[in-house]
């Protein structure tokens, strides 16, 4: 495996030393980088599985994101916003501060108080972070729902959080179409009497119907006073609920606090992205997902950074949109997903090569394991072999990164496809079913052995489920549900969800491993693998493959080549029973392949909750591939 020595000249060995000697005092020191109204009496109150960080301290997220920058950075752009349709807006730190205070006054006048929940269903427009920060300013808990969710999914979430206010827009742009968000909300709340008001941002100016509950954003904001002092909130005050899918159908409301979460983000944003005042940061994640909460909203703003926020689809109007944005705004740090990269890669090198990407100095990846060949493409074609790539592993539940190279902290060799090392202050192991550490280079379950400040407080309204899902498999340790291995250098390799693991003839095989193998074939753009029951082997493997554009090879030849490749790269146990060539894979709107769905179709089972599915056509295609076989 080739290695890349990265890092940007930072070599802060003291931070690692401090962290390993005593993680509690280490985080105590990191928390002091934030502005607190009053300091804490106890750094950590650990009553497994409940952690309270910085107990007795009072703080406000909106104050730390905006007020603290008013002295030196009031006129610095906070958000360089690019609409899908070519609109653009620049919001300085002062603009953001004023808008947030106005909205806080609006919310207060509508009866929102500390502790209330507010649902936000907005497209990627500046009003989205403004709404989140206005809630945070009051101490209301925001619950953002991705703007692609259906009415039924939204209803479930609003019912669960009991939000009395919903903030939405008339519409949002996606691939040139207007998504009628207000109509979706009308449908979702039609029999939810506890929703008192709906605030509507006019983004697309499509026709909407307004009821007595509905209020227009511009009208409310026009009359609002632009001073609203930030509430002094307990460190453990709930900042937000974010719903995420588990292995079961029903989404879980992940609840995050304030002081611990902000400490985690402030530290990881600095270590991972080596943020400087002159940087232009661009994270492509939608704020409807945790990456957007942590690394579009809170992380960059805590640091007073300038960031690009993009409204629409990454490949609209064409596959060079991201490269155009990087060139236009002279982006220095780019953070995206392997799914996006594989999609871009499919279009070849000419597109990115025709843009000036020389402003880039650091690249990041998040959300899924990044295949080594995709990593190398990112490194060579986008980073021109001069930008470190950080592969950041974390989850909605962890709040921020837990495993990543940290160029802002230290220089380490990179290995394409490895997340590298845990962040300082974290003890992470790879263990077997009984919790014993497995030898180097052996697959096992990833296990987090101590609490960290960004960890979820609980699952909203369900402490028992919180315990059962994450803390019951291994005593007093957090079980993230991921498969991993640690190599002899102590580097972590994330191998996909442990719940997507196949058992073939008693051998465990990670779907990510197989997919990575298939994707490393020259003609393959993407793949998804799942198991179907087999009388003799327990389970057999089937694969779905999306070919790169312009591949004209005969599919039976390709099938043969791929089978041989799997045999050669992994072994005969991983031989696929059947390879289906499809034009797209069923994915969640956050870009994760829905293997559960593939499995259900392959096993002739009911499909279950598909509220997070990006494109229903992918399912029909796979369904007919199976029907043909019957
Ligand atoms: C941030 C985010 C969490 C799951 C996680 C893991 C996968 C995330 C990864 C990664 C390999 C990475 N995951 N980052 N796998 N390498 N760098 O994605 O949160 O949506 O909650 O998903 O995503 O399987 O358990 P979330």
């Amino acid at each position: 495996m080739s290695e890349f020595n990265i890092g940007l000249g930072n070599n802060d060995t003291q931070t690692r030393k401090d962290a390993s000697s005593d993680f509690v005092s280490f985080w105590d020191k990191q928390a002091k980088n934030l502005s607190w109204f009053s300091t804490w009496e106890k750094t950590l109150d650990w009553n497994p599985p409940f952690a309270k960080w910085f107990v007795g301290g009072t703080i406000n997220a909106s104050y730390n994101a905006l007020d603290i920058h008013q002295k030196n950075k009031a006129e610095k752009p906070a958000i360089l916003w690019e609409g899908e349709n070519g609109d653009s807006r620049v919001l300085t730190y002062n603009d953001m501060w004023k808008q947030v205070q106005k909205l806080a006054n609006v919310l207060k006048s509508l009866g929102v108080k500390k502790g209330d929940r507010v649902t936000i269903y907005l497209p990627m427009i500046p009003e989205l972070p403004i709404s989140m920060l206005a809630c945070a300013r009051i101490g209301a808990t925001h619950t953002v729902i991705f703007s692609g969710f259906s009415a039924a999914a939204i209803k479930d979430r609003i019912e669960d959080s009991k939000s009395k206010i919903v903030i939405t827009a008339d519409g949002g742009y996606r691939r040139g179409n207007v998504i009628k968000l207000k109509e979706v909300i009308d449908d979702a709340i039609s029999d939810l009497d506890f929703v008192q008001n709906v605030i509507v941002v006019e983004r697309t100016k499509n026709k909407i119907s307004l009821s007595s509950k509905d209020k227009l954003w511009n009208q409310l904001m026009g009359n609002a006073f632009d001073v609203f002092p930030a509430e002094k909130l307990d460190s453990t005050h709930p900042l937000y609920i974010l719903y995420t899918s588990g292995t079961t159908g029903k989404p879980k409301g992940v609840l995050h606090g304030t002081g611990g979460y902000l400490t985690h983000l402030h530290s990881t944003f600095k270590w991972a992205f080596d943020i400087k005042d002159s940087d232009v940061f661009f994270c492509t994640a939608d704020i409807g997902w945790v990456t957007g909460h942590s690394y579009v909203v809170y992380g960059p703003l805590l640091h007073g950074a300038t960031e690009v926020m993009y409204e629409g689809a990454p490949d609209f109007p064409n596959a060079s949109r991201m490269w155009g944005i990087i060139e236009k705004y002279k982006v220095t740090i780019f953070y995206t997903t392997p799914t996006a990269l594989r999609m871009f890669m499919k279009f070849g090198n000419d597109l990115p090569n025709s843009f000036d990407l020389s402003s880039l100095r650091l690249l990041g990846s998040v959300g899924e394991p990044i295949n080594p060949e995709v990593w190398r493409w990112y490194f060579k074609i986008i980073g021109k072999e001069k930008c470190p790539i950080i592969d950041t592993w974390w989850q909605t539940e962890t709040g921020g990164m837990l495993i990543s190279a940290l160029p802002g902290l230290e220089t380490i060799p990179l290995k394409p496809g490895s997340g590298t090392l845990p962040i300082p202050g974290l003890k992470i192991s790879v263990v077997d079913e009984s919790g014993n550490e497995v030898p180097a280079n052996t697959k096992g379950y990833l296990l987090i052995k101590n609490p960290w400040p960004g960890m979820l407080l609980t699952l909203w309204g369900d402490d028992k489920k919180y315990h059962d899902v994450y803390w019951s498999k291994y005593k007093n340790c957090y079980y993230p549900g991921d498969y991993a291995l640690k190599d002899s250098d102590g580097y972590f390799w994330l191998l996909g969800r442990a719940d997507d693991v196949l058992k073939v003839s008693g051998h465990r095989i990670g779907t990510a491993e197989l997919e990575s193998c298939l994707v490393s074939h020259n003609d393959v753009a993407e793949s998804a693998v799942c198991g179907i029951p087999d009388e003799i082997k327990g389970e057999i493997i089937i694969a779905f493959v999306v070919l790169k554009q312009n591949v004209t090879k005969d599919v039976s030849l390709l099938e043969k080549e791929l089978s041989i490749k799997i045999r050669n790269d992994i072994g005969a146990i991983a031989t696929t029973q059947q390879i289906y060539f499809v034009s797209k894979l069923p994915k969640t709107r956050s870009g994760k392949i829905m293997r559960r769905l593939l499995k259900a179709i392959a096993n002739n089972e009911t499909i279950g909750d598909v509220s997070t599915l990006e494109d229903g056509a992918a399912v029909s295609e796979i369904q007919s591939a199976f029907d043909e076989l019957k």
Side-chain angles (χ1 to χ4, degrees):
M1 178 69 65
S2 53
E3 297 192 352
F4 299 84
N5 230 325
I6 62 119
L8 301 164
N10 297 297
N11 200 4
D12 176 3
T13 47
Q14 194 56 41
T15 299
R16 285 253 176 224
K17 251 188 228 153
D18 289 354
S20 59
S21 66
D22 176 355
F23 78 90
V24 177
S25 13
F26 169 73
W27 286 118
D28 185 275
K29 198 166 141 195
Q30 306 309 313
K32 292 181 177 138
N33 291 320
L34 298 168
S35 295
W36 295 78
F37 298 120
S38 59
T39 193
W40 49 96
E41 287 129 29
K42 195 168 182 193
T43 306
L44 173 64
D45 176 354
W46 181 218
N47 181 18
F50 302 100
K52 289 185 184 154
W53 286 90
F54 314 115
V55 185
T58 55
I59 188 164
N60 187 292
S62 160
Y63 185 89
N64 275 274
L66 300 173
D67 300 48
I68 61 160
H69 307 308
Q70 297 309 314
K71 191 158 165 254
N72 298 321
K73 294 183 180 178
E75 297 314 316
K76 182 179 174 177
I79 295 177
L80 306 169
W81 179 79
E82 167 103 352
E84 192 189 72
N85 62 348
D87 289 352
S88 63
R89 284 162 72 184
V90 177
L91 285 96
T92 63
Y93 272 92
N94 190 256
D95 296 333
M96 290 292 292
W97 191 50
K98 298 278 179 213
Q99 294 286 312
V100 165
Q101 293 186 81
K102 280 185 166 196
L103 186 62
N105 276 315
V106 165
L107 292 173
K108 190 178 166 196
S109 72
L110 296 176
V112 175
K113 297 182 307 293
K114 179 170 141 182
D116 287 345
R117 272 82 54 209
V118 172
T119 290
I120 305 173
Y121 182 66
L122 283 172
M124 282 286 283
I125 54 176
E127 286 77 5
L128 175 44
I130 289 168
S131 300
M132 293 161 75
L133 292 167
C135 290
R137 203 158 184 93
I138 298 176
T141 301
H142 59 73
T143 155
V144 177
I145 303 179
F146 175 60
S147 63
F149 274 117
S150 65
I154 297 164
K155 184 179 176 191
D156 281 353
R157 288 157 173 79
I158 299 182
E159 245 178 342
D160 191 66
S161 65
K162 295 278 178 311
S163 297
K164 58 177 174 190
I165 300 281
V166 175
I167 305 178
T168 190
D170 49 1
Y173 290 107
R174 189 81 186 173
R175 293 210 163 82
N177 300 316
V178 172
I179 301 175
K180 295 181 178 155
L181 303 176
K182 172 67 168 55
E183 272 182 19
V184 180
I185 287 293
D186 288 346
D187 202 3
I189 64 162
S190 60
D191 53 0
L192 300 182
D193 293 338
F194 58 85
V195 177
Q196 293 166 4
N197 287 112
V198 177
I199 302 177
V200 187
V201 179
E202 289 164 287
R203 161 67 183 126
T204 52
K205 302 269 170 32
N206 55 305
K207 214 166 152 323
I208 49 170
S209 58
L210 293 174
S211 76
S212 56
K213 278 188 179 183
D214 301 330
K215 311 266 176 208
L216 292 177
W217 172 288
N218 277 346
Q219 279 178 11
L220 295 169
M221 292 288 273
N223 303 324
F225 183 42
D226 64 4
V227 176
F228 187 110
E231 279 285 330
K232 298 182 169 78
L233 303 170
D234 283 344
S235 173
T236 52
H237 187 78
L239 178 61
Y240 67 82
I241 304 170
L242 184 56
Y243 289 90
T244 185
S245 317
T247 43
T248 57
K250 198 183 171 318
K252 302 177 287 208
V254 170
L255 186 69
H256 278 291
T258 308
Y261 176 75
L262 296 180
T263 299
H264 194 113
L265 289 182
H266 189 277
S267 303
T268 54
F269 195 77
K270 177 179 62 185
W271 298 331
F273 295 114
D274 184 45
I275 194 76
K276 303 271 190 287
D277 196 33
S278 53
D279 276 315
V280 178
F281 178 78
F282 180 22
C283 168
T284 63
D286 193 288
I287 295 174
W289 310 109
V290 76
T291 305
H293 278 61
S294 294
Y295 298 105
V296 176
V297 182
Y298 291 107
L301 299 183
L302 289 178
H303 283 273
T306 293
E307 65 174 327
V308 173
M309 179 176 171
Y310 171 62
E311 178 185 35
D315 56 348
F316 189 85
N318 57 51
S320 64
R321 187 70 192 259
M322 294 296 110
W323 319 134
I325 290 178
I326 292 172
E327 182 180 274
K328 176 174 170 187
Y329 294 101
K330 299 197 169 31
V331 170
T332 58
I333 305 171
F334 183 57
Y335 190 34
T336 194
T337 62
T339 290
L341 292 169
R342 286 192 293 263
M343 187 262 292
F344 297 138
M345 211 175 138
K346 183 170 87 175
F347 289 95
N349 301 346
D350 291 351
L351 276 184
N353 283 344
S354 64
F355 288 85
D356 179 5
L357 306 180
S358 62
S359 54
L360 290 171
R361 67 178 188 90
L362 184 56
L363 303 173
S365 172
V366 60
E368 315 152 65
I370 180 164
N371 325 75
E373 25 318 298
V374 177
W375 195 103
R376 289 197 181 89
W377 182 83
Y378 198 21
F379 186 71
K380 277 200 183 118
I381 306 301
I382 306 306
K384 314 293 179 204
E385 303 191 2
K386 68 177 174 68
C387 305
I389 296 181
I390 54 168
D391 175 7
T392 63
W393 179 89
W394 57 292
Q395 308 179 300
T396 305
E397 294 86 342
T398 69
M401 301 165 188
L402 293 194
I403 297 176
S404 177
L406 301 170
L409 182 70
E410 63 203 355
T411 307
I412 59 162
L414 291 180
K415 301 186 189 188
S418 166
T420 75
L421 306 173
I423 64 162
L426 259 285
K427 293 191 194 86
I428 302 186
S429 295
V430 179
V431 300
D432 63 18
E433 203 58 51
S434 342
N436 300 316
E437 198 149 338
V438 298
N441 296 313
T442 310
K443 267 184 284 182
Y445 299 109
L446 194 70
L447 195 63
I448 320 289
K449 294 191 143 170
N450 62 331
W452 65 98
M455 68 189 263
L456 69 169
L457 298 176
T458 185
L459 291 176
W460 176 252
D462 205 341
D463 286 350
K464 182 178 178 307
K465 191 168 178 187
Y466 167 63
H467 167 266
D468 294 350
V469 173
Y470 307 105
W471 300 91
S472 63
K473 192 169 164 76
Y474 301 104
K475 195 171 187 311
N476 294 348
C477 290
Y478 174 85
Y479 171 66
D482 270 44
Y483 227 16
L485 69 74
K486 197 165 144 182
D487 69 16
S488 35
D489 295 326
Y491 278 38
F492 286 82
W493 297 76
L494 285 311
L495 303 174
R497 298 291 303 191
D499 25 26
D500 282 327
V501 164
L502 309 177
K503 256 199 149 187
V504 181
S505 301
H507 301 284
R508 280 168 179 262
I509 301 167
T511 50
E513 200 179 346
L514 266 154
E515 288 162 8
S516 185
C517 167
L518 290 166
V519 168
S520 68
H521 185 284
N522 260 338
D523 297 326
V524 175
E526 277 192 299
S527 82
V529 166
C530 74
I532 53 173
D534 181 83
E535 265 178 33
I536 299 170
K537 298 181 173 179
E539 243 181 343
I540 47 173
I541 304 163
I542 54 171
F544 299 87
V545 166
V546 180
L547 295 175
K548 283 184 188 160
Q549 276 200 331
N550 307 325
V551 173
T552 50
K553 228 184 254 172
D554 176 31
V555 288
S556 60
L557 177 67
L558 265 168
E559 194 168 349
K560 220 183 229 161
E561 283 181 18
L562 291 174
S563 302
I564 295 170
K565 185 156 180 45
I566 291 172
R567 264 174 191 272
N568 289 346
D569 289 8
I570 306 175
I573 51 149
T575 306
T576 47
Q577 178 74 13
Q578 182 80 40
I579 297 176
Y580 298 96
F581 295 93
V582 292
S583 65
K584 48 173 119 38
L585 298 172
K587 284 186 192 158
T588 62
R589 296 190 181 97
S590 64
K592 291 202 176 64
I593 298 166
M594 290 183 85
R595 292 189 188 74
R596 178 176 64 75
L597 242 163
L598 295 174
K599 231 176 170 155
I601 297 172
N603 292 323
N604 242 335
E605 289 162 7
T606 44
I607 287 176
D609 175 23
V610 288
S611 58
T612 56
L613 189 66
E614 153 97 348
D615 183 348
V619 176
S620 335
E621 196 184 341
I622 285 164
Q623 189 94 58
S624 32
F626 272 96
D627 292 344
E628 260 172 49
L629 206 78
K630 276 180 206 154

